[in-house]
Amino acid sequence: MEFTSKKIKHFISSMTSGKHKNSPLIWIIICFLVSAPLHVFSQNQDKITIQLKNVTIEKAFRVIEKQSGFSFFYNAKDLNLKTKSDYSITNKKLEAALEIVLRNQPVEFFIKDKHIVLSKKKTSSPQEQTKVSIPKGKVSGKVLDSKGEAIAGATVMIKNTTTATSTDLNGSFSILTTLKNTLIVSYLGYLPMEIQVENLKTNLTIILEEDSKKLEEFVLVGYGKQKKITAIGSQSSLSIRDLKSQPVGNITNSIAGRIAGIISVQRSGEPGYDGSEIYIRGISTFTSSSPLVLVDGIERTFANVDPEDIESFSVLKDASATAVYGVRGANGVILIETKKGTAGKPKINFRANQGVTQFTKVPEFADGVTYLQMANEAYANSNPKATMPLYSEERIQKTADGSDPDLYPNINWIDQLFNKYGQNRRINTNINGGSDNATYYLSVGYYNESGMYKEDEMAQYHSSINFTRYNFTSNMNLQLLEHTKLDFGASGWIADGNYPGSSGSSIWNAAFVLPPIVIPARYSNGYIAQTRTEDVMNPYDLLTQTGYVSDFKSQLWSNIRLTQDLSPFIKGLSAYGMFSFDNYNEHRIARTKTVDTYLATGRDENGALIFDQMRIGSSYLGFSRSNGGFRQFYTEAALNYSNSFGKQDVSGMILYNQSDKTDAFASDVISSLPSRYQGIAARATYAYDTKYMAEINLGYNGSETFESGSRFGLFPSYGLGWIVSNEKFFEPLAQYVQLLKFRGSYGTVGNSSIGGRRYAYITTVTSTNGYSFGKTTDNSYNGLDVGDYAATVTWEKAKKLNIGAELLTWNNALSLTIDWFQENREGIFLQRGDLPDYAGVRDAPWGNLGEVYNHGFDGTFALNKKLSSDFSVEFRGNFTWNRATVIENANAPWPYPWQQRKGRKLGQRFGKVAIGLFQSEEEIANSPLQTGDIKPGDIKYKDLNPDGKIDSYDEGPIGYGSIPEIIYGFGPNISYKGFAVGAWIKGISNVDISLGGEGFQPFSHEGARGNLLSNITDRWTPNGTNLNPTYPRLTYPSTSNSNYDTSSWWIKNGAFLRLQNIEISYTFRRSDLLKPFGLNSLRLYLIGYNVATLSEFKMWDVELGDGKGASYPLTKTFNMGIDCQF
Amino acid sequence: MKFRALINICFLLLVFTACSEYLDQVPDDRQTMEEVFQKKQPSEEFLANVYSYIPDESNIWDGSPWTGNTDEVEVAWAKYAIYRINIGNWNADTAPFSQLDNYYKGIRSATYFINHIDGNAEILKLDGQDLLDQYKAEARFLRAYYYFLLMRQYGPVVLVGEKEIPVDASVDDIQLARSPFDSCVSYVVNELDKSILNLPLIQPAEKDYGRITKGIAMALKSRLLLYAASPEYNGNTDLATFKNLDGTQLISQTYDKEKWKKAADAAKAVIDLNIYQLYKDVSGNPVKSYRNVLLTPWNNECIFVRKSNNLSTWDIHCSLRSAGGWCGLGPTQEMVDAYFMKDGKSIEESPLYSETGFTNNIYNMYINREPRFYASILYNGKKYFGGNITSKDSLVARFNFSGKDGKKYGGEDYSHTGYLIYKNLSPETNRLTGKNNSRPLVLFRLGEIYLNYAEAMAEYGGANSVEESLKYLNLIRERAGIPKYGSDELPAVSGQELINKIRAERRVELAFEGHRWFDVRRWKIVEDMMGDMHGMDINSDGNQFYRRVVVSTHQWKKAYYWWPITQYEMDRSHKMVQNPGW
């Protein structure tokens, strides 16, 4: 409805047809344009004569037009068109005739050129009304939605004036007005409503109708947005409210189980390194499965974005949604938009919370006495002829009574290393506002988390974990010219982490390797203890005595976008250009040292400890530095078109983009070359009568990593949709089902993440082991060899099919979305696995060789019911299941069918099949031969090939794998008046944990190495009653037989159900109490995160997965917070 | 007009940047294979890569099994693959220490070098054709050597030939069968003869010491032909059914005596070069002479050495735990018993041998043994010279249960036999100061060639053979400081007895040098020596310690003559036949 002066002529002429029904806005503009005086018509006018009976006024207009040669020009809304009247005019001037004809109509007229322009009669301004002493006073009331819930922030405006106010938290408003005025009440997502003020009421109740077709609701799609109702692509979005309330530093951890279609696991809780792995619809390839993440349209990582700054978070899953991303889209796409400002007075939001953190579950070690007893038992089992126990009764006694903790220590290493509690806190303040021409959003965030590592109080430095992050975000949106918009965003973060001098994994590993009875953390005289074997470290030494590492990271994002509306030229056409520059840096300074360590070997005559010095330490902190970082340029330009022709909606898009990302600290030439993408994307959509939809998406793009000539690929996708509920025949059902929509898509998307081998089309020279010559001089040569042979390769292709259904029922209270999908990933980058060794190829050549079939479904449901004006209940949930199967892995077939990888799950585990424990010597004698020291109590395996012996040919598929196939989440939100209680439960299933590794496997290296978990007592014993214990017969070392081979015995169910979130909040509803403090709203809340986990796996936090649990566990936190708006 | 301008800009942007150059950014001046072979330094680096496959066999705990899976040594750690082999827990699928992929990579690199080095502009300009020919000969030797290393482990092998197998060929197009062992031998000998033509007798410049010489190629030929003449490969009718799929016999079925002649000639040819001599210490002390053969770098007995190696870690593995070592490589009682007495007789024959009582607190078993025993075995009570983290004084080994080096507090670091290897342990290695004595690893030395010659002559028979054989056997014994055969103390021997004496001498002289595994196989005596391995009773203290007890059982099956062809290879090579028994 905007136009330039240039177009007026055309506009006016089109209006003169009289068929246009124009909005008041046009009239205002016209009036504004036409500044000439009203009395300008000619004296030589023809006279008008009308004799009409019982006709509408329009009929009268036609007659006048005929007689006068003038045209009427009006807005149908302004006239009373239906009423039929009699018109009798004889030979009157045009003006006089019009006076008569329009007598009962609420319009006035003026004449210009050959036009009779009708406009609504001007309402006199309040001042004027005062003059004529029309009663004036306060009108107040409440704005509610159809469910009776107060709408806060709704605009209440007096029609044709600038007087306006907005509703408070309770939906209440009051406004000074006069009688006969009209109030317009509006709020986004609702149909605006006009109320005639008949008398000065103070208890108006205005109920806004929801805009039932939700035409306002848009969803994000690749390079744009679409009306939700007619969108075809499979897309799901995350409730931002959920995201914001999580007391976590890394938002990747808030995704799992919150959104249909995402498979995600978190493997560590170490602050700053606790991000989750995220896969959209599981893993479909042997190469990189990471989805493409776009923040404000630019490829970026989102782990450190402040959730407060996120406006929307969407996941694009099918080909229809992702084909436009071409070679980058095969793994799915995550779209994140940051917040923009809205016009109005500055609104300040403030949110802060503070919490305590705790480990969810820490592995428990056996105490020293148990360790000694178990070692003796294992030793006796393996050395039946031994005359004396490994550890004497005296030693066990001294360990038990703690009389000499220096020589007979009994240490729980977990207690030595960790505090019980840590803390985290988050503060965010943002402000937004602006005028019609410029809006802004500014935000500053702070996050701090301290870990649970202990420190040596004597040390002059801090070695415990402390992670602090500052975020800032700014978005400016300027209406530069009438049709030209400029958006500018700059955001970034700074993260500062402090860590112990030794890596977390080495500290944890040391705690798993060092038994409880060898050395204390430090001797009574303060000496740091150390064993003789230098690969068994004292974890306390590693944690507290090795200095510290300071880890500084910073990220700066900037993007600028210029949008030009081309509607005046072609209606519905617009264009934009965008440029962004991102820069990331990390800077790590390690100030590490070693201290003197000692081993007490005994006591002298006086009882003083005798020490051997194990290590001569360094006296000061050393220094080393490492850097990393990248910079990225991105350019995008596009033309968008969107228009309606009657019942037909059409849209189109064509877009060019290119990106350039350079590793700023590359270590070789190849990796120093920027990674580049370049491409064109296009889309055309068509919808008829909001019933039938069709869509074509195209991506045509390429990556620098492929050979010239085969760089570019075309990725098309097609989609169809049908809204059944809009059909005529559906009308009888409309009261039960408000929306029923089916949609389907098919298309091809690519993946060019080739996994380390860039420029596969050229043969590389690689450095290898060299060789040394020379008698006295050292004449050493580096080695050179052919690295990778050239191979013609291109991107992986994913052929994706998606069929979805959307349902809205129970008076819009229940919504349900289900998607079924299948995907064939072809041409997966793999190295040839079928070349015999005698070919002598150093690195097997790459090729587009692999193929994976993936299929599954995901769904979302939401129930939203208002039980009374104060009481509402919401229940939401989602579910995702996928299974990927290997079709081709470029390898030679295995000798036996059960060993084949093809046709099996991607990530399938293989191992021996345990069928229980041997119970007697006879059973062993009558069973297939197992190598090593086999006795009753050892694991009995199934002879798959049956050749009478158990070996690697008997390894078949066992368990699921480490990546879950099923992930789901659900939770209620109940609010009553100001109180609200919400919870979220996350579940993961079809996943398992493979146990293994030193510290889990008892006595894998005999003594001196290898801790024991406290469940070690649950083992097989000759006269034991437990026929299915955790551990088989203990042996010393445990490697003396096949008990700890990879087998189904050590595969444990990794499914769990986790109360991820529980929140209680109170929102103050009395605005009169808040106003004195300048507050618009205030909410207080308590939140618990990772509060409880239900799983049959008990040894460590089940989400950490395979191995022995030797990594920083996940944390649970309890936070309280405040959330207010000024 | 604004929007029109904007469209124009967008369009220009599209056209301007859409040209393919944006993605065309691989720099032209990066190193290519063609350039490597036009320059001297990169060509030499390529050759160094071919050299790098020369095995560093100092790592006998988890690098190579030739010592720990025989009757020489018991390796302490069950975590290493040696243990799995000793308990028979291996098959073609899991076969540890497989070298097929490794040596064939070396072979391919050598072939690539030979096929590309011709016409190297820079070498031709600086040094001329001779150096080019020499480098090619080095690569040719190395390729032959890697074939030899495969043959000793796997028997008959696939000979790839002069061309590299194309990497993009279909699997069906690159199928090759194994060649009969004798063909493999001929091929390797022929290749060695070719390389000998262009190899220097000695490296003229000290900086090139360690490069391949004529003597090295000839020494390899000697060892290969000795193996080829031995019963395992020479008319071994046990392997009558060991054939390719097309019926080709892989091991010769008729004994050919002349093979011994070829072996003898090859060994003699090395001796006749007259550039190598047995190492003898200036003091004349035979213990020092024998120890320092391996410890004195670049001495004249060494024929083929590997300059860079892992001997510093060897030293730690052989060191006492109380000296900061890991106490891990324990010679078996069988090995200890193999050493002669100082009268040159075996312990069975010598009146000096006793297993009762002590002399100066040393068990009598260790008294009156030959010098090589004292140079090679660290036994309970022997003084150990080496670094210690608390005391710089000399130490005494204590392997009994509660001893400072014993099992009780050793975790997994204790000798399982009550002995440690002392041979080739550098006294200069010091764990306190962190000093490692780096020295070349000896791969071929004249002592072996003497024994090769003595054995081949004794087996071949004929005129002068016993005299020639005894001459070189006695040269070894002379250096070892024990009486010669045919001297006043010891009678001369001949026939099978001579052969047995040579084998006994070889076992002792070349102990822990990686020969035993192959020797017992080619002699076909391996079945007699495998099985229970003995040591002192490390679970006891006091005199109880000095009892022979079984410390482990080294499993033996007929299949173990050779390594299995890996299942990986079997699945990919359709003409490959598996080794017998696997």
Side-chain angles (χ1 to χ4, degrees), chain A residues 804-832:
Chain A
E806 292 169 23
L807 179 76
L808 201 56
T809 180
W810 200 9
N811 293 328
N812 292 323
L814 179 66
S815 73
L816 194 64
T817 305
I818 288 181
D819 278 280
W820 175 87
F821 70 92
Q822 69 170 41
E823 170 180 353
N824 231 50
R825 188 73 67 95
E826 293 165 6
I828 297 174
F829 284 116
L830 275 184
Q831 285 176 287
R832 268 187 92 157

Side-chain angles (χ1 to χ4, degrees), chain B residues 364-381:
Chain B
N364 275 342
M365 184 189 271
Y366 315 132
I367 303 294
N368 291 328
R369 305 301 294 265
E370 63 157 316
R372 285 179 297 192
F373 173 79
Y374 299 107
S376 304
I377 305 290
L378 187 61
Y379 49 83
N380 211 32

Side-chain angles (χ1 to χ4, degrees), chain A residues 379 388 395 481 533-534 562 564 566 569 612-614 656 658-660 673-674 676-678 702-704 711-712 759 761-763 765 768-779 781-786 789 832-842 845 891-893 895 931-932 951-953 1005-1009 1037 1039-1040, chain B residues 2-4 6-7 14 17-18 22-27 30-33 42 44-46 48-49 51-54 78-79 83 87-89 91-94 100-101 104-105 108-109 112 160 165 167-169 171 174-176 206-211 298 306-307 326 389-390 407 409 411-414 431 539 567-569 571-573:
Chain A
Y379 183 79
M388 48 181 158
R395 171 131 193 215
L481 297 162
T533 332
E534 58 187 27
L562 189 70
Q564 176 70 39
L566 303 172
F569 186 59
D612 274 3
Q613 186 164 5
M614 291 290 109
Y656 169 81
Q658 64 178 42
S659 71
D660 175 309
L673 293 170
R676 286 179 171 170
Y677 290 101
Q678 183 182 36
S703 151
E704 92 296 340
R711 261 176 205 153
F712 285 86
Y759 309 113
Y761 60 90
I762 51 173
T763 300
V765 180
T768 63
N769 294 329
Y771 201 76
S772 297
F773 307 106
K775 184 176 179 181
T776 44
T777 52
D778 186 24
N779 184 21
Y781 288 91
N782 298 320
L784 280 184
D785 199 353
V786 181
Y789 283 89
R832 268 187 92 157
D834 58 354
L835 283 178
D837 281 337
Y838 59 70
V841 181
R842 164 181 286 277
N891 239 298
T931 45
D951 56 19
S952 59
Y953 296 108
H1005 295 79
E1006 308 189 14
R1009 277 189 78 101
T1039 44
S1040 64
Chain B
K2 275 191 301 282
F3 48 89
R4 190 157 291 192
L6 191 77
I7 289 174
L14 272 167
T17 51
Y22 182 70
L23 299 183
D24 209 7
Q25 52 167 348
V26 180
R30 38 179 287 284
Q31 196 172 32
T32 65
M33 264 305 127
E44 286 174 340
E45 288 178 2
F46 198 101
N49 167 62
Y51 265 94
S52 70
Y53 292 89
I54 293 172
K79 64 188 172 189
Y83 177 78
I87 64 170
N89 181 15
N91 59 25
D93 194 38
T94 59
L100 279 176
D101 64 330
Y104 274 115
K105 279 177 192 164
R108 186 187 182 93
S109 287
Y112 199 96
V160 179
I165 291 174
V167 294
D168 51 358
V171 176
I174 55 173
Q175 294 300 322
L176 294 172
E206 278 199 351
K207 74 176 175 56
D208 287 325
Y209 272 37
R211 279 193 184 279
W298 308 102
R306 196 187 205 286
K307 180 168 172 171
W326 295 332
I389 202 150
T390 49
K407 176 177 179 177
Y409 302 122
E412 55 180 349
D413 297 341
Y414 60 90
R431 299 276 285 145
N539 290 313
Q567 189 63 46
Y568 177 91
E569 192 73 344
D571 293 343
R572 285 157 185 77
S573 321

Side-chain angles (χ1 to χ4, degrees), chain A residues 164-294:
Chain A
T165 183
S166 61
T167 56
D168 66 10
L169 282 172
N170 306 316
S172 305
F173 70 94
S174 88
I175 192 164
L176 203 63
T177 181
T178 54
L179 284 179
K180 301 292 177 199
N181 260 353
T182 304
L183 297 182
I184 302 172
V185 182
S186 62
Y187 188 67
L188 193 69
Y190 295 83
L191 294 170
M193 187 172 221
E194 297 193 5
I195 294 116
Q196 194 80 29
V197 181
E198 301 291 352
N199 45 19
L200 294 174
K201 276 192 183 171
T202 53
N203 56 349
L204 273 176
T205 301
I206 298 160
I207 294 168
L208 290 185
E209 280 298 310
E210 262 181 85
D211 197 343
S212 64
K213 287 197 171 173
K214 303 207 173 190
L215 291 175
E216 304 294 325
E217 207 172 328
F218 282 87
V219 292
L220 290 176
V221 295
Y223 301 120
K225 51 184 166 181
Q226 289 181 345
K227 282 178 188 168
K228 186 176 182 185
I229 184 80
T230 52
I232 292 172
S234 176
Q235 187 264 16
S236 44
S237 29
L238 188 68
S239 157
I240 297 307
R241 189 186 62 192
D242 293 349
L243 208 57
K244 280 201 293 197
S245 57
Q246 305 298 306
V248 292
N250 187 318
I251 67 168
T252 61
N253 299 334
S254 309
I255 313 298
R258 293 272 182 186
I259 182 165
I262 284 206
I263 299 283
S264 172
V265 279
Q266 185 184 353
R267 299 296 195 203
S268 167
E270 185 171 359
Y273 293 92
D274 54 352
S276 296
E277 303 164 28
I278 290 179
Y279 310 104
I280 295 178
R281 290 182 163 173
I283 295 177
S284 306
T285 178
F286 304 111
T287 60
S288 166
S289 295
S290 307
L292 173 67
V293 178
L294 300 169

Side-chain angles (χ1 to χ4, degrees), chain A residues 16-31:
Chain A
T16 52
S17 67
K19 281 162 196 157
H20 268 263
K21 304 191 168 175
N22 298 293
S23 76
L25 180 64
I26 291 179
W27 286 110
I28 293 163
I29 292 162
I30 300 252
C31 297

Side-chain angles (χ1 to χ4, degrees), chain A residues 765 784, chain B residues 30-47 112-129 131-132 135:
Chain A
V765 180
L784 280 184
Chain B
R30 38 179 287 284
Q31 196 172 32
T32 65
M33 264 305 127
E34 291 69 38
E35 281 152 17
V36 165
F37 285 107
Q38 285 306 315
K39 297 276 180 192
K40 184 176 180 182
Q41 172 81 12
S43 291
E44 286 174 340
E45 288 178 2
F46 198 101
L47 185 57
Y112 199 96
F113 183 85
I114 293 167
N115 290 343
H116 287 79
I117 191 66
D118 278 332
N120 183 308
E122 197 176 31
I123 296 181
L124 283 175
K125 196 172 126 204
L126 293 173
D127 307 277
Q129 185 66 36
L131 189 66
L132 221 55
Y135 281 169

